[in-house]
Amino acid sequence: MNTVQRYRPAPYTALVTNLLFPLHERVKQHSSVAVRKQLEASQYWPEERLRELQLVRLRRLLARAQDKVPYFRDLFRELGFDPAGVQSLDELARLPLMDKAVIRANVDRLKAQDAVGLARFNTGGSSGEPLIFYIGKERVSHDVAAKWRATRWWNVDIGDPEIVVWGSPIELGAQDRVRALRDRLLRTHLLPAFEMSATKLDSFVARIRAHRPRMLFGYPSALSHIARHAQAKGQRMDDLGIRVAFVTSERLYDEQRAQIADTFGCPVANGYGGRDAGFIAHQCPHGGMHITAEDIIVEILDPAGHPVPRGQSGEIVVTHLATGDFPFIRYRTGDIGVLGKKACGCGRGLPLLQEIQGRSTDFLVAQDGTVMHGLALVYILRDLPQVKAFKISQESLDLTRVQVVLDTALDEALRAHIERGFKARLGAAVTVQVEQVEAIAPEKSGKFRYVVSKVATGRAVA
């Protein structure tokens, strides 16, 4: 399970990989095919050569930010910072850290003046603070290429049958005819992760068996929940030929990895990143979490903002080198991680994240017993412009508390809107208490959790 033989794609997979998907990307004006080929060559470069590439690309990003992005033009002038004079990656430390508050306050001034075709995205982030930002075609191309490269590490490729268990409205709301046709051609089948009732889980298990995927992709909590259900029903899932389960968007716990691997009979490949920060790291079959170093500079900083030695933990701060249209420079992820000291046995020169403490999202339980992903409630709040931060606490099946940080006073219309949305998911008889607060307090650990459930879902929850 720790080694992967040379990949020989099936004929239809080869057709998708070599013709249909490249055509799809060309129509969308993405350069992901060329970028992926570059990444597959550079992944074996020694780390020092990768750092030289990072420096070249960093200078290019900073120069464009100075020339075309109003926010950075003004910032560099105030600091007396000249991108042309940057001689080392260490000089990034001369720039201030960038967080969600900075982006929210400067969202229009962070757009490059020559950017075209920007796509609007939003995310709740690990603290529950809504964030709106923009992504250009270069960034999309590089993110697709990075994920594609990592997919091929596991003897699967675009065009192999895939089950995606996901909950983002970006995916779930885009099932028009063109998207549906594309998914059929690519053999991708989407299962919504919001609801996990027994009936839904029965249908998920049946659809996975019918589709016979070569790979799974989704939240670790959702995939492990499906796996537990199949096991409880006595339904084998390890006879389908699944080669790998890719998980992302949440911290992967050991018991989740074991449950998914045992039930589906395949290794579990962890991924770390987000819509805002990009695809930061992917796990290879040797177990190493490889940073996408060609595109992303990762800094690990102590609470004072100083870099810590490899092997010590600190906040993960990233600079995405393909974000010239809307730069993410020294962006605080809010997550804690550790850079690895040793090389990976796979032979790749890409540096390693030895440890990641990413965001955690709980399941919630409706009054009728339906188990749903916490994001089902997060999405009700995160696009409300008045809501600056929030925390959802499910105290019992009958009571859910919602703390919100607002830029205006909480009025009855907003309170009623939130209550209606929550009751629609949790049950009409549930009491939803909405409270306006000045700030959301962190957990004792110092981490923020924006969904906390005290209702058992068949596993321990906190």
Side-chain angles (χ1 to χ4, degrees):
M1 192 172 289
N2 290 327
T3 60
V4 173
Q5 302 301 316
R6 184 176 178 182
Y7 178 57
R8 292 183 176 86
Y12 185 80
T13 301
L15 175 67
V16 172
T17 301
N18 297 319
L19 179 62
L20 297 182
F21 188 70
L23 179 61
H24 168 273
E25 292 295 273
R26 182 180 300 176
V27 169
K28 299 186 75 171
Q29 298 180 314
H30 294 164
S31 59
S32 53
V33 176
V35 174
R36 191 216 79 209
K37 291 178 180 178
Q38 295 167 1
L39 294 180
E40 290 190 332
S42 59
Q43 64 186 333
Y44 290 105
W45 291 359
E47 189 172 344
E48 185 55 39
R49 186 178 176 186
L50 288 168
R51 288 177 64 84
E52 292 172 358
L53 173 64
Q54 286 180 326
L55 182 58
V56 170
R57 296 195 62 199
L58 176 62
R59 287 199 196 105
R60 187 183 309 150
L61 173 67
L62 295 174
R64 179 150 187 241
Q66 181 184 50
D67 187 40
K68 299 296 184 181
V69 182
Y71 171 79
F72 284 105
R73 180 189 302 139
D74 293 345
L75 176 65
F76 292 175
R77 183 171 58 247
E78 292 171 9
L79 296 174
F81 180 82
D82 181 11
V86 172
Q87 300 297 318
S88 166
L89 296 178
D90 295 336
E91 293 185 55
L92 257 182
R94 293 170 55 192
L95 299 176
L97 297 177
M98 183 182 191
D99 59 18
K100 293 175 177 62
V102 169
I103 295 175
R104 289 176 59 200
N106 299 277
V107 65
D108 289 326
R109 299 181 67 245
L110 280 163
K111 298 177 186 175
Q113 294 168 325
D114 60 349
V116 293
L118 287 177
R120 179 185 183 274
F121 285 82
N122 56 14
T123 177
S126 58
S127 67
E129 180 184 14
L131 178 69
I132 296 171
F133 58 97
Y134 291 84
I135 291 179
K137 294 184 185 298
E138 180 192 21
R139 158 74 187 271
V140 173
S141 298
H142 281 254
D143 282 354
V144 168
K147 180 182 175 183
W148 192 0
R149 171 177 70 177
T151 296
R152 289 161 64 93
W153 293 346
W154 293 90
N155 265 0
V156 289
D157 209 336
I158 293 174
D160 279 320
E162 177 184 28
I163 289 285
V164 176
V165 184
W166 206 244
S168 169
I170 294 172
E171 284 80 11
L172 297 183
Q175 295 301 311
D176 54 23
R177 292 181 180 178
V178 175
R179 175 65 180 264
L181 174 61
R182 192 203 75 169
D183 285 351
R184 282 199 297 272
L185 289 174
L186 301 187
R187 297 197 286 187
T188 293
H189 193 64
L190 185 63
L191 303 180
F194 282 140
E195 295 188 8
M196 293 279 179
S197 66
T199 301
K200 284 283 188 182
L201 288 168
D202 284 342
S203 71
F204 287 176
V205 169
R207 288 159 75 179
I208 292 171
R209 290 198 61 81
H211 195 62
R212 301 187 69 85
R214 288 295 173 266
M215 52 183 161
L216 305 173
F217 181 88
Y219 307 119
S221 55
L223 288 177
S224 62
H225 204 67
I226 295 170
R228 278 194 304 275
H229 182 79
Q231 187 178 53
K233 292 284 188 175
Q235 176 62 66
R236 280 190 65 183
M237 301 296 284
D238 60 355
D239 58 347
L240 302 176
I242 300 172
R243 292 174 181 164
V244 60
F246 297 107
V247 297
T248 189
S249 193
E250 298 172 344
R251 181 176 179 180
L252 172 64
Y253 293 95
D254 291 341
E255 61 270 20
Q256 293 172 330
R257 183 190 289 274
Q259 178 73 73
I260 296 167
D262 290 346
T263 300
F264 293 109
C266 67
V268 178
N270 198 10
Y272 172 62
R275 293 196 186 281
D276 48 0
F279 291 107
I280 298 171
H282 299 84
Q283 187 175 23
C284 81
H286 282 74
M289 283 291 293
H290 291 279
I291 295 170
T292 310
E294 300 95 338
D295 289 336
I296 296 177
I297 298 171
V298 173
E299 301 175 76
I300 306 293
L301 306 180
D302 66 19
H306 302 133
V308 301
R310 294 193 178 200
Q312 294 186 19
S313 66
E315 182 177 1
I316 299 173
V317 173
V318 301
T319 297
H320 199 308
L321 300 169
T323 57
D325 289 332
F326 192 96
F328 279 78
I329 298 173
R330 304 202 79 203
Y331 177 65
R332 300 181 66 174
T333 66
D335 294 331
I336 304 300
V338 179
L339 282 177
K341 295 180 179 180
K342 300 179 181 179
C344 182
C346 70
R348 294 178 177 87
L350 302 170
L352 300 175
L353 271 177
Q354 176 181 313
E355 182 181 347
I356 305 163
Q357 298 177 6
R359 63 219 105 183
S360 174
T361 304
D362 285 329
F363 279 97
L364 299 159
V365 186
Q367 280 192 317
D368 64 1
T370 297
V371 180
M372 68 188 71
H373 204 277
L375 289 171
L377 298 186
V378 168
Y379 287 133
I380 295 171
L381 296 172
R382 78 172 190 181
D383 284 336
L384 294 173
Q386 310 96 314
V387 178
K388 302 307 175 188
F390 59 83
K391 183 173 183 178
I392 302 165
S393 301
Q394 185 176 36
E395 303 295 334
S396 68
L397 285 176
D398 303 313
L399 174 63
T400 293
R401 303 182 193 276
V402 187
Q403 293 180 316
V404 290
V405 177
L406 305 173
D407 58 6
T408 60
L410 176 62
D411 58 30
E412 287 306 310
L414 180 60
R415 185 191 302 273
H417 177 84
I418 294 172
E419 289 180 0
R420 281 196 304 272
F422 276 49
K423 286 174 180 285
R425 287 288 187 182
L426 298 175
V430 171
T431 298
V432 180
Q433 294 183 351
V434 184
E435 176 189 10
Q436 183 173 3
V437 296
E438 291 295 322
I440 303 298
E443 303 293 310
K444 292 180 180 179
S445 64
K447 296 283 288 182
F448 286 89
R449 298 176 65 193
Y450 58 95
V451 177
V452 177
S453 178
K454 299 177 182 178
V455 180
T457 63
R459 66 186 178 100
V461 296

